């Protein structure tokens, strides 16, 4: 009996390690939860075999540099891109899901769309060793160590001004300073959702009464995208605005434009997040690309684009209006903020 038991024990100790080492995660369900030390090798080998990854993103023209860097690191993996506005990216994914025709592997876009896609069951929660350096508030948790997405870039909204039209003594230091008489008729905003988000933060920190007082400042409203609006500011057609992105100002200031940027009470953050798509056709490549964007190389590029990154501290308080809300709550809030914005401005 003892000899039989010893024989069984020997068989188990020799057979078990070989079996455990031979079983590797292959499906998306297995890969998104795998955290073994050979994870990177498994992803790279699998991605090479798949040969392709399809990335949906709402990043601006800078996305091409991320694509080029990924190609350089993983030349055996072809990366294809669908680039559009955040709402269009979400709509495309929803339509594909309704048709049962999943094409995308990974995506990068802003929270409003990510929230909608999460609630529609389009996002696949995933784990990654790259998540360790990110603060908890930058992770939209699913279960355990897995996230629906993590914030990979941030663009900060604050007060930008033409330095030839507003002197250093006139520059507001907080929301309250926007009511100063010497700024009357000099300010403007856009119809973009980013302006509405700033109004939402003003409501939170200063109240409805303060926001309504802004009407007396004769703030102009422009139906322009952020870069077109910034060009008007540089040209001197607008003197200042509390709804301008810091990264865009930094880029233009470095080129010699007469423009500058300061934070106010809070800086509203327009964030971008990296996610993996449920039923991704190329699961290894999907996770490899997500890791690349949120890892050192992708984050270095984001900073070169003058975005802020979630894992660094900055000398201003960041505000995320959508946090803690459902998609419907956020849509209702954004509509309310937009209505208020139109009521206090003039075209």
């Amino acid at each position: 009996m003892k000899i039989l038991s010893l024989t069984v024990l020997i068989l188990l100790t020799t057979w078990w390690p070989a079996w455990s080492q031979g079983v590797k995660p292959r499906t998306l369900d297995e890969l998104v939860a795998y955290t073994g030390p050979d994870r990177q090798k498994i992803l790279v080998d699998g991605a090479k075999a798949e040969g392709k990854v399809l990335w949906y993103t709402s990043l601006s023209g800078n996305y091409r540099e991320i694509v080029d860097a990924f190609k350089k690191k993983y030349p055996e993996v072809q990366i294809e891109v669908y680039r559009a506005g955040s709402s269009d990216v979400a709509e495309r994914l929803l339509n594909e899901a309704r048709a049962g025709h999943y094409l995308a592997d990974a995506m990068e876009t802003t929270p409003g769309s990510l929230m909608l896609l999460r609630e529609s069951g389009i996002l696949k929660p995933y784990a990654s060793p790259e998540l360790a350096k990110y603060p908890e508030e930058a992770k939209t948790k699913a279960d355990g160590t897995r996230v629906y997405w993590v914030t990979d870039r941030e663009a900060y909204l604050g007060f930008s001004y033409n330095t030839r039209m507003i002197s250093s003594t006139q520059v507001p230091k907080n929301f309250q300073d926007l009511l100063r008489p010497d700024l009357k008729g000099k300010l403007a905003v856009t119809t973009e959702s980013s302006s509405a988000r700033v109004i939402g933060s003003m409501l939170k920190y200063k109240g409805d009464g303060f926001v309504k007082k802004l009407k007396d400042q004769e703030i102009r409203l422009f139906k322009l995208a952020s870069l077109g609006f910034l060009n008007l500011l540089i040209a001197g057609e607008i003197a200042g605005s509390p709804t301008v992105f810091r990264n865009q100002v930094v880029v233009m200031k470095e080129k010699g434009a007469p423009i500058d940027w300061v934070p106010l009470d809070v800086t509203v953050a327009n964030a971008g997040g990296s996610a993996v798509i449920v039923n991704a056709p190329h699961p290894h490549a999907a996770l490899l690309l997500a890791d690349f964007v949120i890892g050192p190389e992708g984050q270095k590029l984001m900073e070169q684009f003058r975005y802020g990154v979630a894992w660094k501290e900055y000398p201003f308080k960041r505000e995320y209006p959508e946090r803690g809300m459902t998609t419907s709550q956020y849509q209702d809030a954004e509509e309310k903020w937009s209505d208020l914005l139109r009521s206090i401005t003039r075209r």
Side-chain angles (χ1 to χ4, degrees):
M1 189 70 177
K2 288 182 179 179
I3 294 173
L4 179 62
S5 298
L6 182 61
T7 302
V8 171
L9 180 61
I10 291 171
L11 286 170
L12 283 172
T13 54
T14 55
W15 170 76
W16 173 259
W19 174 85
S20 63
Q21 290 170 14
V23 176
K24 300 296 184 183
R26 296 184 182 278
T27 67
L28 183 60
D29 283 342
E30 293 168 344
L31 287 166
V32 293
Y34 189 69
T35 57
D38 57 347
R39 178 180 179 276
Q40 176 68 10
K41 184 178 187 308
I42 289 171
L43 293 185
V44 172
D45 291 346
K48 287 179 181 178
E50 291 163 354
K52 175 183 172 182
V53 63
L54 178 55
W55 189 41
Y56 284 16
T57 181
S58 60
L59 267 168
S60 62
N62 302 128
Y63 78 88
R64 294 185 181 89
E65 294 185 43
I66 291 178
V67 169
D68 290 343
F70 183 81
K71 283 180 179 177
K72 184 176 181 180
K73 185 170 185 179
Y74 305 109
E76 301 92 342
V77 184
Q78 180 184 358
I79 177 170
E80 296 180 3
V81 182
Y82 169 71
R83 193 273 161 197
S86 183
S87 297
D88 291 335
V89 167
E91 184 178 0
R92 186 180 179 107
L93 283 164
L94 288 169
N95 287 337
E96 290 172 358
R98 292 186 192 108
H101 192 47
Y102 292 90
L103 299 174
D105 296 300
M107 71 174 302
E108 201 282 352
T109 194
T110 51
S113 291
L114 288 167
M115 290 160 63
L116 175 61
L117 294 168
R118 175 192 59 190
E119 292 170 21
S120 301
I122 308 297
L123 304 185
K124 187 71 174 178
Y126 68 100
S128 168
E130 302 297 349
L131 295 172
K133 71 178 177 183
Y134 285 83
E136 290 303 300
E137 58 269 22
K139 306 170 191 174
T140 300
K141 290 290 193 73
D143 52 47
T145 60
R146 296 193 299 168
V147 299
Y148 285 105
W149 70 84
V150 61
T151 299
D152 57 51
R153 61 177 165 109
E154 295 183 332
Y156 307 118
L157 289 156
F159 188 83
S160 181
Y161 61 100
N162 185 304
T163 55
R164 294 170 181 166
M165 300 181 71
I166 294 181
S167 68
S168 58
T169 58
Q170 290 179 300
V171 176
K173 295 180 174 60
N174 48 49
F175 288 148
Q176 191 66 38
D177 284 351
L178 296 173
L179 297 177
R180 290 209 315 254
D182 57 359
L183 293 177
K184 185 172 182 176
K186 293 184 177 182
L187 306 180
V189 295
T190 75
T191 55
E192 295 280 282
S193 61
S194 53
S195 293
R197 286 161 60 83
V198 172
I199 292 296
S201 293
M202 289 181 181
L203 277 173
K204 178 179 177 179
Y205 288 93
K206 298 294 291 182
D208 182 74
F210 167 81
V211 176
K212 287 180 178 176
K213 285 181 183 178
L214 288 171
K215 186 172 184 178
D216 295 333
Q217 291 297 79
E218 299 178 359
I219 299 172
R220 288 184 290 166
L221 181 66
F222 289 84
K223 190 175 182 179
L224 284 171
S226 57
L227 281 174
F229 184 73
L230 185 65
N231 287 333
L232 290 184
L233 195 56
I234 292 170
E237 294 186 44
I238 300 165
S241 173
T243 62
V244 178
F245 288 112
R246 171 179 171 266
N247 58 308
Q248 294 177 347
V249 171
V250 170
V251 169
M252 299 309 293
K253 184 179 177 182
E254 288 173 349
K255 294 179 179 179
I259 195 170
D260 212 339
W261 184 96
V262 295
L264 298 178
D265 301 64
V266 294
T267 59
V268 173
N270 268 24
S274 282
V276 173
I277 306 302
V278 71
N279 297 327
H282 310 98
H284 296 82
L287 286 162
L288 191 66
L289 177 56
D291 279 2
F292 182 83
V293 175
I294 67 176
E297 291 152 301
Q299 291 295 281
K300 182 179 180 181
L301 285 171
M302 291 297 189
E303 290 193 281
Q304 287 178 8
F305 305 153
R306 301 299 184 264
Y307 285 114
V309 289
W311 43 272
K312 275 193 175 182
E313 293 294 329
Y314 295 95
F316 45 77
K317 181 179 179 180
R318 291 177 272 192
E319 176 74 11
Y320 306 85
E322 73 285 339
R323 283 192 178 165
M325 294 186 187
T326 63
T327 299
S328 60
Q329 287 172 337
Y330 180 62
Q331 288 173 343
D332 290 344
E334 195 172 48
E335 185 176 350
K336 174 186 173 184
W337 302 335
S338 294
D339 289 344
L340 185 53
L341 177 72
R342 287 190 289 270
S343 75
I344 63 168
T345 55
R346 62 186 181 87
R347 289 185 179 272

